[in-house]
Amino acid sequence: MIVADFVDLRSDTVTRPTAGMREAMATAEVGDDVYGEDPTVNALEAEVAALFGHEAALFAPSGSMANQIALQLVVPPANELLCDADAHVVTYEIGAAAAYGGISSRTWPAVGADIDPDVVAGMIRPDGYFAVPTRAIAVEQTHNRGGGGVIPLATLRQLRRVADDAQLALHCDGARIWHAHVADDVPLVEYGRLFDTMSVCLSKGLGAPVGSLVVGSAEKIERARLIRKRMGGGMRQAGVLAAAGRYALAHHVERLAEDHAKAARLAEAIAPFGVLATAARTNLVPLDLTKSPLDAHALAAAARAEGVLISVLGPRTARLVTHMDVDDAGIDRAIDTLTRILRA
Ligand SMILES: Cc1ncc(COP(=O)(O)O)c(C=O)c1O
């Protein structure tokens, strides 16, 4: 399907590389990264590690692989990960933690970014009593199924204390941590110092075609390199892709504020039409259609017929995502189309 004439609000992963990014990719210096000889990959890894104040980082083909490598670093087989029921790592990674890492996952109820650290603390199971011992807690910043919500820094600090008290690792699925950084004006290094491992994505909102990184200590990243290879994620002349990532970091982080403003405009326009659009803090606009005559599939089909693409997350839940390939005119068109359909 050619979607060029559509206003594509399904995801921020649909962006295409800009001319400047393509130029950076075309002229990238490359080498064999499995030998550790790709200078552009090495530069990207050093740059991202420094951004988060960590010793090292590892380039991975996807956010899912970066998450799963990180989880295998901090949770041994037959041990336990705690995360929320809507977390990407247990919702959209197709059982990878269990399948590849032998990891047992237990979840707290889906509350998006609104985490109660006491609830998490109460779930921790120590060694002994023939129970599965908890080894790590994972959070998602920003929260995808939680409508792009941003976990407040104070909550993250409390979770760090909970993890320290129980000697657990704290992992951040930071696919959209850039959005949190821009929305809450929290320095990336401030987030970085709270986590043992992070995964961060260059292809969600930042506009790179491919690429995520695992961030952590030098010792962890050395182990991560082996796990990545075992999972089939060793890439050769990956500098072409890393160059896109470096370009994205240099040019596309601060502009995320524009996407947040577009999301807020969409949410405000759609909210009165029987749709509860949780205040969009970042670039995701969740639609709760429980009170609407249209279910999510019907809304998506009607919008598609008029050239606006949205995501269906559940029978009565849909999602709109703003990104750099949808301009203000596209948002106007989406508002006009969706409000017309919802009004009918
Ligand atoms: C929060 C979150 N984590 C991880 C991922 C996985 O990224 P990928 O699609 O590159 O595997 C996504 C994808 O949208 C995501 O939203």
Side-chain angles (χ1 to χ4, degrees):
M1 179 184 67
I2 297 167
V3 290
D5 292 335
F6 285 76
V7 177
D8 194 344
L9 299 172
R10 290 171 301 168
S11 173
D12 47 10
T13 58
V14 300
T15 54
R16 297 185 183 85
T18 61
M21 184 178 280
R22 286 172 193 264
E23 171 71 15
M25 296 171 77
T27 55
E29 245 191 281
V30 297
D32 189 328
D33 182 49
V34 172
Y35 288 105
E37 291 173 1
D38 188 302
T40 312
V41 171
N42 292 343
L44 173 69
E45 290 176 345
E47 184 180 337
V48 171
L51 277 179
F52 291 98
H54 276 263
E55 286 174 344
L58 182 76
F59 193 41
S62 70
S64 300
M65 191 184 284
N67 271 332
Q68 294 302 326
I69 290 170
L71 295 183
Q72 289 178 53
L73 287 173
V74 292
V75 186
N79 285 236
E80 180 180 83
L81 171 76
L82 295 182
C83 62
D84 83 277
D86 260 349
H88 196 281
V89 291
V90 291
T91 307
Y92 295 122
E93 298 182 16
I94 322 175
Y100 296 123
I103 295 169
S104 188
S105 302
R106 201 151 47 89
T107 56
W108 63 83
V111 286
D114 203 12
I115 303 168
D116 180 346
D118 289 336
V119 168
V120 178
M123 292 177 68
I124 294 168
R125 288 178 178 150
D127 279 317
Y129 308 109
F130 302 105
V132 181
T134 310
R135 298 294 180 210
I137 299 166
V139 296
E140 194 170 304
Q141 183 75 309
T142 63
H143 201 292
N144 182 342
R145 286 183 65 90
V150 184
I151 307 168
L153 192 58
T155 305
L156 293 174
R157 288 190 174 134
Q158 281 174 276
L159 282 168
R160 179 71 260 175
R161 277 196 292 277
V162 167
D164 284 344
D165 288 349
Q167 294 182 300
L168 307 182
L170 190 58
H171 170 70
C172 178
D173 174 350
R176 297 184 182 79
I177 196 146
W178 329 102
H179 300 74
H181 155 68
V182 168
D184 274 8
D185 201 21
V186 172
L188 293 171
V189 75
E190 197 72 42
Y191 285 132
R193 71 164 56 106
L194 294 168
F195 300 107
D196 299 280
T197 53
M198 307 179 76
S199 66
V200 299
C201 289
L202 304 165
S203 59
K204 324 265 177 307
L206 294 195
V210 175
S212 294
L213 292 103
V214 187
V215 181
S217 67
E219 178 273 329
K220 282 195 176 64
I221 296 304
E222 205 178 304
R223 283 198 287 133
R225 209 168 281 282
L226 294 182
I227 299 170
R228 182 186 67 177
K229 191 71 175 73
R230 183 183 297 136
M231 294 178 79
M235 298 179 285
R236 301 295 176 170
Q237 285 70 33
V240 174
L241 301 172
R246 296 195 76 197
Y247 185 92
L249 289 173
H251 297 93
H252 297 162
V253 176
E254 297 311 322
R255 65 152 304 287
L256 292 173
E258 297 168 29
D259 296 342
H260 298 176
K262 284 183 275 186
R265 199 151 70 77
L266 263 175
E268 197 186 342
I270 294 169
F273 292 90
V275 176
L276 301 175
T278 313
R281 294 238 25 240
T282 57
N283 68 324
L284 310 187
V285 182
L287 304 185
D288 176 354
L289 296 161
T290 42
K291 295 193 182 131
S292 165
L294 286 181
D295 67 17
H297 282 288
L299 176 62
R304 174 179 283 265
E306 298 203 31
V308 175
L309 305 181
I310 68 172
S311 274
V312 174
L313 296 192
R316 295 222 156 243
T317 320
R319 188 188 71 178
L320 316 178
V321 186
T322 59
H323 52 76
M324 52 190 289
D325 282 7
V326 175
D327 59 12
D328 280 324
I331 298 296
D332 288 340
R333 186 172 152 203
I335 289 174
D336 179 60
T337 303
L338 294 169
T339 54
R340 202 157 17 80
I341 294 168
L342 290 162
R343 196 185 290 122

